[in-house]
Amino acid sequence: DQQVKQNSPSLSVQEGRISILNCDYTNSMFDYFLWYKKYPAEGPTFLISISSIKDKNEDGRFTVFLNKSAKHLSLHIVPSQPGDSAVYFCAASAIPGGSYIPTFGRGTSLIVHP
Amino acid sequence: NAGVMQNPRHLVRRRGQEARLRCSPVKGHSHVYWYRQLPEEGLKFMVYLQKENIIDESGMPKERFSAEFPKEGPSILRIQQVVRGDSAAYFCASSLQGNSPLHFGNGTRLTVT
């Protein structure tokens, strides 16, 4: 019973183009969303986050969009670079009981071709 | 300014042995999380600890698994009587506050033969 879903296991993009990674969630209690990037044999690295009070957050080449009514968020990378090739995990958390424990999706493997 | 340190990086155990995985959080971080990643799957939450306290262990298997985060020293994830299904990458993460992004270590890859 996945509460955070990344339905595309992989995505291939040409260098310089936009990469769009999608994520859907089912738990309406989630109010904080994060994206992590993971290279092989390394741990995930925090990329960008967004609170449910916002619908967009931007950091350099990375922008996260949140559509609460659709329970959907997306990560845009513009322009994509070969070094962006990694697995991207979407995560969501809520604070019932006072603790933020992120729930992760299964990840999307992004390949950026030179 | 070290990040989260996990050791060992690789651990091989025979069925029935015990596995001990260690995690030193980022200096100053008092919140520790353990996640497990099975092949072809995402990160599954196991347990959330603060110093000397288990806050949430809803993701921990009921038997054979335990975790601690003592006042002094690293957090330990202990798996007793390992089985082949325990083979996975185990990631530890820490945060400064409960609602801060997690900083992950590079994981311990456990192989049970």
Side-chain angles (χ1 to χ4, degrees):
Chain A
D1 182 27
Q2 280 189 281
Q3 296 188 67
V4 177
K5 299 176 184 178
Q6 294 177 257
N7 292 320
S8 297
S10 63
L11 176 67
S12 183
V13 171
Q14 201 71 29
E15 181 179 6
R17 300 286 188 118
I18 184 172
S19 295
I20 300 177
L21 297 100
N22 293 304
C23 178
D24 298 291
Y25 61 95
T26 58
N27 188 343
S28 57
M29 296 296 291
F30 286 146
D31 62 357
Y32 185 54
F33 304 89
L34 312 96
W35 284 93
Y36 284 82
K37 175 179 176 181
K38 184 182 180 303
Y39 293 117
E42 294 185 10
T45 303
F46 170 70
L47 201 54
I48 192 169
S49 65
I50 188 166
S51 163
S52 60
I53 62 172
K54 293 186 172 183
D55 54 18
K56 177 182 174 182
N57 189 25
E58 194 170 349
D59 183 1
R61 297 186 297 113
F62 302 91
T63 303
V64 56
F65 295 92
L66 175 62
N67 182 335
K68 283 175 291 186
S69 61
K71 294 192 179 69
H72 177 84
L73 63 155
S74 60
L75 174 68
H76 292 211
I77 307 173
V78 182
S80 302
Q81 299 173 354
D84 296 329
S85 298
V87 176
Y88 290 78
F89 289 99
C90 170
S93 61
I95 52 167
S99 55
Y100 272 90
I101 299 173
T103 299
F104 284 80
R106 291 193 172 195
T108 296
S109 177
L110 173 66
I111 299 171
V112 180
H113 296 283
Chain B
N1 194 18
V4 176
M5 303 300 292
Q6 288 190 250
N7 67 81
R9 287 297 307 272
H10 300 275
L11 182 61
V12 180
R13 285 288 178 265
R14 291 188 178 142
R15 279 181 296 171
Q17 291 185 319
E18 179 180 287
R20 282 191 178 227
L21 289 64
R22 294 175 184 78
C23 168
S24 295
V26 173
K27 189 174 181 180
H29 286 192
S30 60
H31 299 254
V32 166
Y33 306 75
W34 285 93
Y35 283 81
R36 174 165 68 172
Q37 185 178 24
L38 294 167
E40 308 301 323
E41 294 195 13
L43 296 156
K44 298 291 187 185
F45 166 74
M46 299 182 75
V47 62
Y48 165 39
L49 311 103
Q50 293 180 24
K51 282 287 187 181
E52 300 184 275
N53 290 304
I54 295 174
I55 307 301
D56 188 319
E57 55 181 349
S58 58
M60 286 275 268
K62 298 299 178 201
E63 298 176 349
R64 302 188 296 109
F65 285 73
S66 62
E68 63 177 8
F69 187 19
K71 186 177 179 181
E72 301 291 338
S75 175
I76 305 287
L77 179 67
R78 183 183 177 203
I79 311 171
Q80 295 178 291
Q81 299 175 333
V82 296
V83 301
R84 289 214 171 113
D86 297 332
S87 294
Y90 291 82
F91 291 96
C92 172
S94 72
S95 68
L96 183 62
Q97 300 172 357
N99 61 350
S100 304
L102 272 55
H103 297 254
F104 280 86
N106 285 332
T108 293
R109 275 143 191 87
L110 173 65
T111 302
V112 179
T113 61

